[in-house]
C-alpha cells in the first residue's frame, strides 16, 4: 500500500515503488504528493532516470491541476534530462505532454508543432499505440480551431490503425473523438441539410465508445463520454416532443449525474460548469424555470473558479438568454445576447 511504501527505508526499491504510484495514480491530490516524493528521493540518489520521471509526472500533475505555466516549466526540465539521456521514447512522450499543456493554454499552432515532432519519433521507433494517441490529439486540436474535416481525417486514421491492432483503449478514444467532431459541427451548423445526420453520427460513435468503455476502468475517457452523451441527448431533447423529449432529458441528466459522481468519487479535477449548465438547460426544457435558474447560477459560480474554455461560457450565456426569453423578460435576454457578442468578438 501507499502508506507502507512511505515507511520503507530510502533505497532503490522504494524509488521504483514511488515511480509506479506516480505513473498510475489519478487521484489528483495524491498524485502531486507522490510525484514530489519520487523526485525528492531520486535527487537524493542522483538517479537521472528517475529524476527525469519525477519532473515528467510532476508536470502532468500540474497540468491536471490547471497550473499550466508550472507544468510547462517542469516539462522542459524533464525534456532536457531525457535529451541528455538520449531516450527517444521519453523525448517523444514529453513532447506530446508539452503539446497537451499548450493546447490547454490555447496555443494551438505550437501544440500542433510538438505533436508532429512526437509523431515523427513514434513512427521512427514503430510505437503504434502512441502513434494513434498523437493522431487523436491532433484531431482534438483541429476541433478547437474548427477545422472539422482535418479532425475527421486524424480520428479516421487512428481508428483504422486501432482496429487493425485491436487496441480497445484507442478505439474508445477514436469513436469519442469522431463524436465530438460531429456534435460540434451540428451545434455550429444546425440549419445545414446534413445537420440531422451529424447528430445521429455523434450518437452512434458515442454509443460505440461507451459500450467499449464500460468493462474497462478508463476513468478519464469515461468523463469525456458522459459530458458528450449528456450534450447529444440535450440536443435531441431540444428537437423532440412528448415521450421522446422526456426520454432524452432523462438520459441527459443521468450522464450529468454520472459525470459529477465520477469526479467526486475519484477526486478528479474536472470542469463541471459545462455539466451543470446542461442540467439547467434540461430543467428549462422541462419547464422548471426556478430549478433551471439555480443550475445556471451554480454554473456561473463554477466558471469563476474553473475558468474553462470560452465554449462553455458561451453555452451559459445562451442558456441565460433563452431562460429570460421564456420568462418574457426580453430586456434581460438582450443583455445576455450583448454579453455573448462581446465574448465572441474577444475570441
Amino acid at each position: 500500500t501507499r502508506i507502507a511504501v512511505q515507511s520503507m527505508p530510502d533505497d532503490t526499491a522504494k524509488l521504483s515503488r514511488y515511480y509506479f504510484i506516480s505513473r498510475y495514480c489519478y487521484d489528483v491530490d495524491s498524485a502531486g504528493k507522490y510525484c514530489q516524493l519520487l523526485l525528492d528521493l531520486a535527487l537524493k540518489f542522483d538517479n537521472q532516470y528517475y529524476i527525469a520521471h519525477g519532473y515528467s509526472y510532476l508536470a502532468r500533475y500540474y497540468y491536471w491541476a490547471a497550473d499550466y505555466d508550472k507544468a510547462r516549466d517542469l516539462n522542459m526540465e524533464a525534456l532536457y534530462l531525457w535529451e541528455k539521456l538520449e531516450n527517444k521514447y521519453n523525448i517523444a512522450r514529453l513532447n506530446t505532454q508539452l503539446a497537451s499543456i499548450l493546447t490547454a493554454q490555447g496555443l494551438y499552432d505550437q501544440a500542433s508543432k510538438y505533436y508532429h515532432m512526437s509523431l515523427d519519433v513514434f513512427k521512427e521507433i514503430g510505437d503504434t499505440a502512441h502513434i494513434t494517441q498523437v493522431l487523436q490529439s491532433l484531431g482534438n486540436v483541429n476541433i478547437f480551431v474548427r477545422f472539422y474535416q482535418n479532425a475527421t481525417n486524424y480520428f479516421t486514421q487512428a481508428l483504422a490503425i486501432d482496429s487493425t491492432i485491436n487496441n480497445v483503449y484507442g478505439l474508445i478514444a477514436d469513436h469519442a473523438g469522431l463524436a465530438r467532431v460531429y456534435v460540434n459541427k451540428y451545434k455550429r451548423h444546425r440549419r445545414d441539410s446534413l445537420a440531422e445526420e451529424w447528430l445521429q453520427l455523434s450518437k452512434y460513435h458515442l454509443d460505440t465508445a461507451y459500450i467499449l468503455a464500460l468493462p474497462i476502468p478508463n476513468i478519464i475517457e469515461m468523463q469525456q463520454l458522459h459530458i458528450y452523451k449528456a450534450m447529444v441527448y440535450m440536443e435531441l431533447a431540444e428537437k423532440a416532443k412528448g415521450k421522446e423529449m422526456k426520454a432524452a432529458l432523462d438520459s441527459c441528466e443521468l450522464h450529468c449525474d454520472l459525470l459529477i459522481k465520477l469526479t467526486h468519487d475519484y477526486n478528479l479535477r474536472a470542469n463541471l460548469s459545462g455539466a451543470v449548465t446542461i442540467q439547467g438547460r434540461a430543467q428549462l426544457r422541462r419547464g422548471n424555470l426556478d430549478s433551471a435558474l439555480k443550475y445556471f447560477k451554480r454554473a456561473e459560480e463554477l466558471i469563476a473558479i474553473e475558468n474553462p474554455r470560452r465554449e462553455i461560457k458561451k453555452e451559459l450565456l445562451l442558456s441565460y438568454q433563452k431562460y429570460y426569453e421564456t420568462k418574457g423578460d426580453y430586456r434581460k435576454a438582450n443583455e445576455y445576447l450583448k454579453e455573448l457578442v462581446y465574448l465572441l468578438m474577444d475570441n
Side-chain angles (χ1 to χ4, degrees), residues 1-10 14 18 33-34 37:
T1 65
R2 295 176 188 175
I3 296 172
V5 171
Q6 286 183 256
S7 64
M8 291 172 61
D10 288 350
K14 187 175 186 177
Y18 278 155
K33 171 185 173 181
Y34 283 98
L37 287 169

Side-chain angles (χ1 to χ4, degrees), residues 88-334:
K88 282 189 174 183
Y89 166 77
N90 278 302
I91 291 169
R93 189 175 65 81
L94 267 292
N95 276 331
T96 303
Q97 186 165 277
L98 177 57
S100 298
I101 297 165
L102 293 166
T103 300
Q105 293 182 300
L107 303 171
Y108 302 122
D109 286 344
Q110 291 183 48
S112 183
K113 169 190 165 185
Y114 281 101
Y115 278 134
H116 280 289
M117 285 169 62
S118 62
L119 184 61
D120 290 341
V121 175
F122 286 134
K123 285 180 177 179
E124 181 185 339
I125 64 180
D127 190 330
T128 312
H130 277 92
I131 288 170
T132 60
Q133 286 179 17
V134 177
L135 289 170
Q136 292 154 7
S137 297
L138 284 164
N140 288 326
V141 169
N142 278 274
I143 290 175
F144 293 141
V145 296
R146 303 173 195 171
F147 293 166
Y148 296 125
Q149 190 55 56
N150 287 351
T152 303
N153 292 341
Y154 282 122
F155 286 120
T156 303
Q157 287 178 57
L159 180 62
I161 296 170
D162 286 326
S163 298
T164 302
I165 63 175
N166 195 28
N167 178 4
V168 178
Y169 285 98
L171 289 169
I172 294 167
D174 301 331
H175 283 290
L178 285 166
R180 289 196 291 273
V181 171
Y182 287 119
V183 74
N184 277 284
K185 284 178 74 171
Y186 170 81
K187 290 176 71 176
R188 296 197 174 278
H189 307 286
R190 295 173 192 269
R191 295 181 182 178
D192 193 287
S193 60
L194 295 174
E196 181 63 28
E197 182 181 341
W198 293 334
L199 188 57
Q200 292 303 322
L201 279 169
S202 180
K203 185 176 184 301
Y204 161 75
H205 285 293
L206 278 173
D207 289 345
T208 303
Y210 195 69
I211 290 167
L212 289 168
L214 278 175
I216 299 172
N218 192 335
I219 299 165
I220 304 300
E221 195 62 52
M222 192 59 82
Q223 280 185 293
Q224 293 293 314
L225 291 175
H226 282 316
I227 190 63
Y228 275 93
K229 281 183 80 69
M231 191 184 299
V232 168
Y233 278 116
M234 188 64 239
E235 296 301 335
L236 289 169
E238 294 284 13
K239 297 164 61 65
K241 295 180 181 178
K243 291 181 180 179
E244 286 186 9
M245 181 191 78
K246 183 181 181 302
L249 289 172
D250 289 345
S251 295
C252 168
E253 291 178 310
L254 171 65
H255 285 288
C256 286
D257 291 340
L258 288 171
L259 168 63
I260 293 168
K261 183 177 186 303
L262 187 70
T263 302
H264 290 156
D265 286 351
Y266 289 92
N267 191 27
L268 302 172
R269 293 291 169 90
N271 288 337
L272 294 179
S273 47
V276 175
T277 299
I278 293 173
Q279 287 177 313
R281 287 180 61 195
Q283 289 300 306
L284 185 60
R285 187 74 174 107
R286 290 184 193 276
N288 302 329
L289 300 188
D290 290 343
S291 180
L293 184 60
K294 287 178 183 177
Y295 279 113
F296 295 149
K297 294 290 185 185
R298 177 57 182 152
E300 194 171 0
E301 292 170 0
L302 287 169
I303 283 175
I305 298 167
E306 297 170 349
N307 193 26
R309 290 186 297 109
R310 283 188 174 89
E311 192 66 29
I312 292 174
K313 298 175 183 177
K314 173 190 155 190
E315 286 296 323
L316 180 59
L317 291 173
L318 283 169
S319 299
Y320 266 130
Q321 183 203 7
K322 188 168 184 180
Y323 166 81
Y324 283 108
E325 280 184 348
T326 304
K327 289 200 72 172
D329 188 343
Y330 296 107
R331 182 188 62 79
K332 194 74 172 174
N334 196 47

